[in-house]
PDB file of all heavy atoms in Angstrom:
ATOM      1  N   ALA C 293      70.415 105.776 252.889  1.00  0.00           N
ATOM      2  CA  ALA C 293      71.865 105.654 252.700  1.00  0.00           C
ATOM      3  C   ALA C 293      72.285 106.450 251.467  1.00  0.00           C
ATOM      4  O   ALA C 293      71.500 106.642 250.554  1.00  0.00           O
ATOM      5  CB  ALA C 293      72.249 104.194 252.516  1.00  0.00           C
ATOM      6  N   HIS C 294      73.530 106.923 251.504  1.00  0.00           N
ATOM      7  CA  HIS C 294      73.982 107.752 250.387  1.00  0.00           C
ATOM      8  C   HIS C 294      74.347 106.906 249.190  1.00  0.00           C
ATOM      9  O   HIS C 294      74.838 105.797 249.314  1.00  0.00           O
ATOM     10  CB  HIS C 294      75.163 108.615 250.813  1.00  0.00           C
ATOM     11  CG  HIS C 294      74.763 109.671 251.771  1.00  0.00           C
ATOM     12  ND1 HIS C 294      74.765 109.457 253.129  1.00  0.00           N
ATOM     13  CD2 HIS C 294      74.297 110.926 251.583  1.00  0.00           C
ATOM     14  CE1 HIS C 294      74.337 110.556 253.734  1.00  0.00           C
ATOM     15  NE2 HIS C 294      74.044 111.456 252.823  1.00  0.00           N
ATOM     16  N   GLU C 295      74.095 107.450 248.052  1.00  0.00           N
ATOM     17  CA  GLU C 295      74.289 106.767 246.800  1.00  0.00           C
ATOM     18  C   GLU C 295      75.706 106.193 246.655  1.00  0.00           C
ATOM     19  O   GLU C 295      75.903 105.055 246.269  1.00  0.00           O
ATOM     20  CB  GLU C 295      73.972 107.750 245.661  1.00  0.00           C
ATOM     21  CG  GLU C 295      74.000 107.166 244.274  1.00  0.00           C
ATOM     22  CD  GLU C 295      73.008 106.013 244.080  1.00  0.00           C
ATOM     23  OE1 GLU C 295      71.939 106.021 244.727  1.00  0.00           O
ATOM     24  OE2 GLU C 295      73.328 105.113 243.283  1.00  0.00           O
ATOM     25  N   PHE C 296      76.697 107.023 247.026  1.00  0.00           N
ATOM     26  CA  PHE C 296      78.069 106.545 246.807  1.00  0.00           C
ATOM     27  C   PHE C 296      78.393 105.348 247.700  1.00  0.00           C
ATOM     28  O   PHE C 296      79.120 104.450 247.316  1.00  0.00           O
ATOM     29  CB  PHE C 296      79.086 107.686 247.008  1.00  0.00           C
ATOM     30  CG  PHE C 296      79.251 108.138 248.428  1.00  0.00           C
ATOM     31  CD1 PHE C 296      80.245 107.570 249.222  1.00  0.00           C
ATOM     32  CD2 PHE C 296      78.437 109.119 248.965  1.00  0.00           C
ATOM     33  CE1 PHE C 296      80.408 107.991 250.532  1.00  0.00           C
ATOM     34  CE2 PHE C 296      78.591 109.537 250.273  1.00  0.00           C
ATOM     35  CZ  PHE C 296      79.579 108.975 251.065  1.00  0.00           C
ATOM     36  N   GLU C 297      77.763 105.354 248.886  1.00  0.00           N
ATOM     37  CA  GLU C 297      78.023 104.209 249.776  1.00  0.00           C
ATOM     38  C   GLU C 297      77.347 102.963 249.245  1.00  0.00           C
ATOM     39  O   GLU C 297      77.886 101.859 249.307  1.00  0.00           O
ATOM     40  CB  GLU C 297      77.529 104.523 251.185  1.00  0.00           C
ATOM     41  CG  GLU C 297      78.563 105.309 251.976  1.00  0.00           C
ATOM     42  CD  GLU C 297      78.190 105.415 253.449  1.00  0.00           C
ATOM     43  OE1 GLU C 297      77.240 106.144 253.773  1.00  0.00           O
ATOM     44  OE2 GLU C 297      78.842 104.724 254.255  1.00  0.00           O
ATOM     45  N   MET C 298      76.149 103.136 248.722  1.00  0.00           N
ATOM     46  CA  MET C 298      75.432 102.026 248.103  1.00  0.00           C
ATOM     47  C   MET C 298      76.283 101.446 246.984  1.00  0.00           C
ATOM     48  O   MET C 298      76.471 100.236 246.871  1.00  0.00           O
ATOM     49  CB  MET C 298      74.121 102.598 247.534  1.00  0.00           C
ATOM     50  CG  MET C 298      73.197 101.553 246.982  1.00  0.00           C
ATOM     51  SD  MET C 298      72.502 100.549 248.319  1.00  0.00           S
ATOM     52  CE  MET C 298      72.876  98.941 247.700  1.00  0.00           C
ATOM     53  N   GLU C 299      76.821 102.361 246.181  1.00  0.00           N
ATOM     54  CA  GLU C 299      77.648 101.982 245.041  1.00  0.00           C
ATOM     55  C   GLU C 299      78.833 101.138 245.501  1.00  0.00           C
ATOM     56  O   GLU C 299      79.124 100.072 244.958  1.00  0.00           O
ATOM     57  CB  GLU C 299      78.135 103.275 244.374  1.00  0.00           C
ATOM     58  CG  GLU C 299      78.373 103.209 242.887  1.00  0.00           C
ATOM     59  CD  GLU C 299      77.201 102.605 242.148  1.00  0.00           C
ATOM     60  OE1 GLU C 299      76.063 103.155 242.191  1.00  0.00           O
ATOM     61  OE2 GLU C 299      77.432 101.548 241.549  1.00  0.00           O
ATOM     62  N   GLU C 300      79.494 101.646 246.538  1.00  0.00           N
ATOM     63  CA  GLU C 300      80.678 100.927 247.037  1.00  0.00           C
ATOM     64  C   GLU C 300      80.290  99.548 247.571  1.00  0.00           C
ATOM     65  O   GLU C 300      80.984  98.561 247.353  1.00  0.00           O
ATOM     66  CB  GLU C 300      81.361 101.731 248.148  1.00  0.00           C
ATOM     67  CG  GLU C 300      82.101 102.959 247.610  1.00  0.00           C
ATOM     68  CD  GLU C 300      82.679 103.834 248.724  1.00  0.00           C
ATOM     69  OE1 GLU C 300      82.717 103.390 249.904  1.00  0.00           O
ATOM     70  OE2 GLU C 300      83.084 104.958 248.399  1.00  0.00           O
ATOM     71  N   ALA C 301      79.143  99.492 248.269  1.00  0.00           N
ATOM     72  CA  ALA C 301      78.692  98.216 248.832  1.00  0.00           C
ATOM     73  C   ALA C 301      78.402  97.219 247.720  1.00  0.00           C
ATOM     74  O   ALA C 301      78.822  96.057 247.770  1.00  0.00           O
ATOM     75  CB  ALA C 301      77.454  98.445 249.694  1.00  0.00           C
ATOM     76  N   LEU C 302      77.692  97.690 246.697  1.00  0.00           N
ATOM     77  CA  LEU C 302      77.363  96.806 245.581  1.00  0.00           C
ATOM     78  C   LEU C 302      78.639  96.302 244.920  1.00  0.00           C
ATOM     79  O   LEU C 302      78.743  95.122 244.564  1.00  0.00           O
ATOM     80  CB  LEU C 302      76.480  97.521 244.560  1.00  0.00           C
ATOM     81  CG  LEU C 302      75.056  97.851 245.045  1.00  0.00           C
ATOM     82  CD1 LEU C 302      74.319  98.705 244.015  1.00  0.00           C
ATOM     83  CD2 LEU C 302      74.266  96.579 245.350  1.00  0.00           C
ATOM     84  N   GLU C 303      79.617  97.199 244.769  1.00  0.00           N
ATOM     85  CA  GLU C 303      80.883  96.785 244.175  1.00  0.00           C
ATOM     86  C   GLU C 303      81.511  95.644 244.961  1.00  0.00           C
ATOM     87  O   GLU C 303      82.140  94.759 244.389  1.00  0.00           O
ATOM     88  CB  GLU C 303      81.876  97.959 244.170  1.00  0.00           C
ATOM     89  CG  GLU C 303      81.674  98.972 243.059  1.00  0.00           C
ATOM     90  CD  GLU C 303      82.458 100.254 243.342  1.00  0.00           C
ATOM     91  OE1 GLU C 303      83.434 100.205 244.142  1.00  0.00           O
ATOM     92  OE2 GLU C 303      82.078 101.286 242.786  1.00  0.00           O
ATOM     93  N   GLU C 304      81.330  95.744 246.264  1.00  0.00           N
ATOM     94  CA  GLU C 304      81.955  94.731 247.107  1.00  0.00           C
ATOM     95  C   GLU C 304      81.127  93.445 247.169  1.00  0.00           C
ATOM     96  O   GLU C 304      81.482  92.499 247.861  1.00  0.00           O
ATOM     97  CB  GLU C 304      82.185  95.290 248.512  1.00  0.00           C
ATOM     98  CG  GLU C 304      83.297  96.334 248.519  1.00  0.00           C
ATOM     99  CD  GLU C 304      83.374  97.133 249.820  1.00  0.00           C
ATOM    100  OE1 GLU C 304      82.700  96.757 250.803  1.00  0.00           O
ATOM    101  OE2 GLU C 304      84.109  98.133 249.848  1.00  0.00           O
ATOM    102  N   GLY C 305      79.992  93.397 246.497  1.00  0.00           N
ATOM    103  CA  GLY C 305      79.212  92.164 246.413  1.00  0.00           C
ATOM    104  C   GLY C 305      78.038  92.101 247.366  1.00  0.00           C
ATOM    105  O   GLY C 305      77.368  91.074 247.473  1.00  0.00           O
ATOM    106  N   VAL C 306      77.774  93.204 248.054  1.00  0.00           N
ATOM    107  CA  VAL C 306      76.593  93.234 248.919  1.00  0.00           C
ATOM    108  C   VAL C 306      75.368  93.183 248.014  1.00  0.00           C
ATOM    109  O   VAL C 306      75.342  93.797 246.944  1.00  0.00           O
ATOM    110  CB  VAL C 306      76.595  94.526 249.773  1.00  0.00           C
ATOM    111  CG1 VAL C 306      75.259  94.723 250.475  1.00  0.00           C
ATOM    112  CG2 VAL C 306      77.754  94.490 250.768  1.00  0.00           C
ATOM    113  N   MET C 307      74.343  92.391 248.430  1.00  0.00           N
ATOM    114  CA  MET C 307      73.138  92.300 247.606  1.00  0.00           C
ATOM    115  C   MET C 307      71.997  92.986 248.328  1.00  0.00           C
ATOM    116  O   MET C 307      72.010  93.142 249.548  1.00  0.00           O
ATOM    117  CB  MET C 307      72.803  90.843 247.341  1.00  0.00           C
ATOM    118  CG  MET C 307      73.884  90.175 246.491  1.00  0.00           C
ATOM    119  SD  MET C 307      73.553  88.444 246.191  1.00  0.00           S
ATOM    120  CE  MET C 307      73.551  87.781 247.809  1.00  0.00           C
ATOM    121  N   VAL C 308      70.999  93.384 247.561  1.00  0.00           N
ATOM    122  CA  VAL C 308      69.881  94.110 248.162  1.00  0.00           C
ATOM    123  C   VAL C 308      68.567  93.560 247.639  1.00  0.00           C
ATOM    124  O   VAL C 308      68.441  93.282 246.449  1.00  0.00           O
ATOM    125  CB  VAL C 308      69.940  95.615 247.820  1.00  0.00           C
ATOM    126  CG1 VAL C 308      68.978  96.389 248.719  1.00  0.00           C
ATOM    127  CG2 VAL C 308      71.344  96.169 247.938  1.00  0.00           C
ATOM    128  N   LYS C 309      67.621  93.436 248.527  1.00  0.00           N
ATOM    129  CA  LYS C 309      66.241  93.156 248.133  1.00  0.00           C
ATOM    130  C   LYS C 309      65.444  94.400 248.426  1.00  0.00           C
ATOM    131  O   LYS C 309      65.208  94.752 249.581  1.00  0.00           O
ATOM    132  CB  LYS C 309      65.695  91.967 248.946  1.00  0.00           C
ATOM    133  CG  LYS C 309      65.802  90.685 248.169  1.00  0.00           C
ATOM    134  CD  LYS C 309      64.803  89.655 248.663  1.00  0.00           C
ATOM    135  CE  LYS C 309      64.822  88.423 247.769  1.00  0.00           C
ATOM    136  NZ  LYS C 309      64.851  88.692 246.331  1.00  0.00           N
ATOM    137  N   TRP C 310      65.061  95.079 247.364  1.00  0.00           N
ATOM    138  CA  TRP C 310      64.275  96.294 247.534  1.00  0.00           C
ATOM    139  C   TRP C 310      62.831  95.922 247.776  1.00  0.00           C
ATOM    140  O   TRP C 310      62.390  94.817 247.446  1.00  0.00           O
ATOM    141  CB  TRP C 310      64.369  97.166 246.276  1.00  0.00           C
ATOM    142  CG  TRP C 310      65.783  97.517 245.859  1.00  0.00           C
ATOM    143  CD1 TRP C 310      66.438  97.055 244.772  1.00  0.00           C
ATOM    144  CD2 TRP C 310      66.662  98.382 246.551  1.00  0.00           C
ATOM    145  NE1 TRP C 310      67.699  97.580 244.714  1.00  0.00           N
ATOM    146  CE2 TRP C 310      67.869  98.394 245.797  1.00  0.00           C
ATOM    147  CE3 TRP C 310      66.586  99.126 247.738  1.00  0.00           C
ATOM    148  CZ2 TRP C 310      68.980  99.150 246.190  1.00  0.00           C
ATOM    149  CZ3 TRP C 310      67.682  99.881 248.114  1.00  0.00           C
ATOM    150  CH2 TRP C 310      68.874  99.881 247.345  1.00  0.00           C
ATOM    151  N   LEU C 311      62.072  96.838 248.290  1.00  0.00           N
ATOM    152  CA  LEU C 311      60.623  96.680 248.459  1.00  0.00           C
ATOM    153  C   LEU C 311      60.281  95.320 249.104  1.00  0.00           C
ATOM    154  O   LEU C 311      59.483  94.548 248.581  1.00  0.00           O
ATOM    155  CB  LEU C 311      59.904  96.824 247.111  1.00  0.00           C
ATOM    156  CG  LEU C 311      59.919  98.244 246.532  1.00  0.00           C
ATOM    157  CD1 LEU C 311      59.537  98.237 245.063  1.00  0.00           C
ATOM    158  CD2 LEU C 311      58.998  99.158 247.340  1.00  0.00           C
ATOM    159  N   SER C 312      60.943  95.071 250.232  1.00  0.00           N
ATOM    160  CA  SER C 312      60.725  93.776 250.898  1.00  0.00           C
ATOM    161  C   SER C 312      60.694  93.969 252.413  1.00  0.00           C
ATOM    162  O   SER C 312      61.435  94.797 252.946  1.00  0.00           O
ATOM    163  CB  SER C 312      61.871  92.816 250.556  1.00  0.00           C
ATOM    164  OG  SER C 312      62.019  92.689 249.160  1.00  0.00           O
ATOM    165  N   THR C 313      59.821  93.200 253.072  1.00  0.00           N
ATOM    166  CA  THR C 313      59.849  93.186 254.544  1.00  0.00           C
ATOM    167  C   THR C 313      59.949  91.748 255.014  1.00  0.00           C
ATOM    168  O   THR C 313      59.548  90.816 254.305  1.00  0.00           O
ATOM    169  CB  THR C 313      58.565  93.791 255.173  1.00  0.00           C
ATOM    170  OG1 THR C 313      57.445  93.154 254.572  1.00  0.00           O
ATOM    171  CG2 THR C 313      58.496  95.282 254.964  1.00  0.00           C
ATOM    172  N   ILE C 314      60.523  91.597 256.220  1.00  0.00           N
ATOM    173  CA  ILE C 314      60.597  90.251 256.792  1.00  0.00           C
ATOM    174  C   ILE C 314      59.308  90.013 257.563  1.00  0.00           C
ATOM    175  O   ILE C 314      58.980  90.782 258.474  1.00  0.00           O
ATOM    176  CB  ILE C 314      61.832  90.114 257.709  1.00  0.00           C
ATOM    177  CG1 ILE C 314      63.097  90.420 256.895  1.00  0.00           C
ATOM    178  CG2 ILE C 314      61.882  88.711 258.322  1.00  0.00           C
ATOM    179  CD1 ILE C 314      64.361  90.415 257.713  1.00  0.00           C
ATOM    180  N   LYS C 315      58.579  89.010 257.147  1.00  0.00           N
ATOM    181  CA  LYS C 315      57.255  88.769 257.725  1.00  0.00           C
ATOM    182  C   LYS C 315      57.322  87.794 258.885  1.00  0.00           C
ATOM    183  O   LYS C 315      56.647  87.943 259.898  1.00  0.00           O
ATOM    184  CB  LYS C 315      56.321  88.178 256.660  1.00  0.00           C
ATOM    185  CG  LYS C 315      55.325  89.143 255.985  1.00  0.00           C
ATOM    186  CD  LYS C 315      54.984  90.300 256.800  1.00  0.00           C
ATOM    187  CE  LYS C 315      53.520  90.623 256.959  1.00  0.00           C
ATOM    188  NZ  LYS C 315      53.389  92.044 257.381  1.00  0.00           N
ATOM    189  N   GLU C 316      58.152  86.796 258.705  1.00  0.00           N
ATOM    190  CA  GLU C 316      58.236  85.736 259.698  1.00  0.00           C
ATOM    191  C   GLU C 316      59.624  85.145 259.693  1.00  0.00           C
ATOM    192  O   GLU C 316      60.283  85.137 258.659  1.00  0.00           O
ATOM    193  CB  GLU C 316      57.287  84.589 259.321  1.00  0.00           C
ATOM    194  CG  GLU C 316      55.898  84.670 259.931  1.00  0.00           C
ATOM    195  CD  GLU C 316      55.016  83.593 259.333  1.00  0.00           C
ATOM    196  OE1 GLU C 316      55.487  82.435 259.233  1.00  0.00           O
ATOM    197  OE2 GLU C 316      53.890  83.933 258.937  1.00  0.00           O
ATOM    198  N   ILE C 317      60.020  84.619 260.858  1.00  0.00           N
ATOM    199  CA  ILE C 317      61.299  83.925 260.927  1.00  0.00           C
ATOM    200  C   ILE C 317      61.043  82.535 261.505  1.00  0.00           C
ATOM    201  O   ILE C 317      60.351  82.394 262.519  1.00  0.00           O
ATOM    202  CB  ILE C 317      62.300  84.676 261.826  1.00  0.00           C
ATOM    203  CG1 ILE C 317      62.390  86.156 261.388  1.00  0.00           C
ATOM    204  CG2 ILE C 317      63.678  84.013 261.782  1.00  0.00           C
ATOM    205  CD1 ILE C 317      63.208  87.018 262.313  1.00  0.00           C
ATOM    206  N   ASP C 318      61.589  81.585 260.774  1.00  0.00           N
ATOM    207  CA  ASP C 318      61.499  80.225 261.308  1.00  0.00           C
ATOM    208  C   ASP C 318      62.887  79.650 261.277  1.00  0.00           C
ATOM    209  O   ASP C 318      63.360  79.208 260.223  1.00  0.00           O
ATOM    210  CB  ASP C 318      60.527  79.395 260.454  1.00  0.00           C
ATOM    211  CG  ASP C 318      60.377  77.979 261.024  1.00  0.00           C
ATOM    212  OD1 ASP C 318      61.011  77.700 262.077  1.00  0.00           O
ATOM    213  OD2 ASP C 318      59.653  77.189 260.406  1.00  0.00           O
TER     214      ASP C 318
END
Side-chain angles (χ1 to χ4, degrees):
Chain C
H294 290 89
E295 185 59 31
F296 70 93
E297 276 190 289
M298 186 70 231
E299 210 50 61
E300 287 175 12
L302 292 173
E303 280 166 21
E304 289 168 10
V306 169
M307 295 178 299
V308 194
K309 263 203 174 316
W310 305 110
L311 290 165
S312 305
T313 51
I314 302 176
K315 259 335 229 200
E316 268 172 46
I317 308 173
D318 182 1

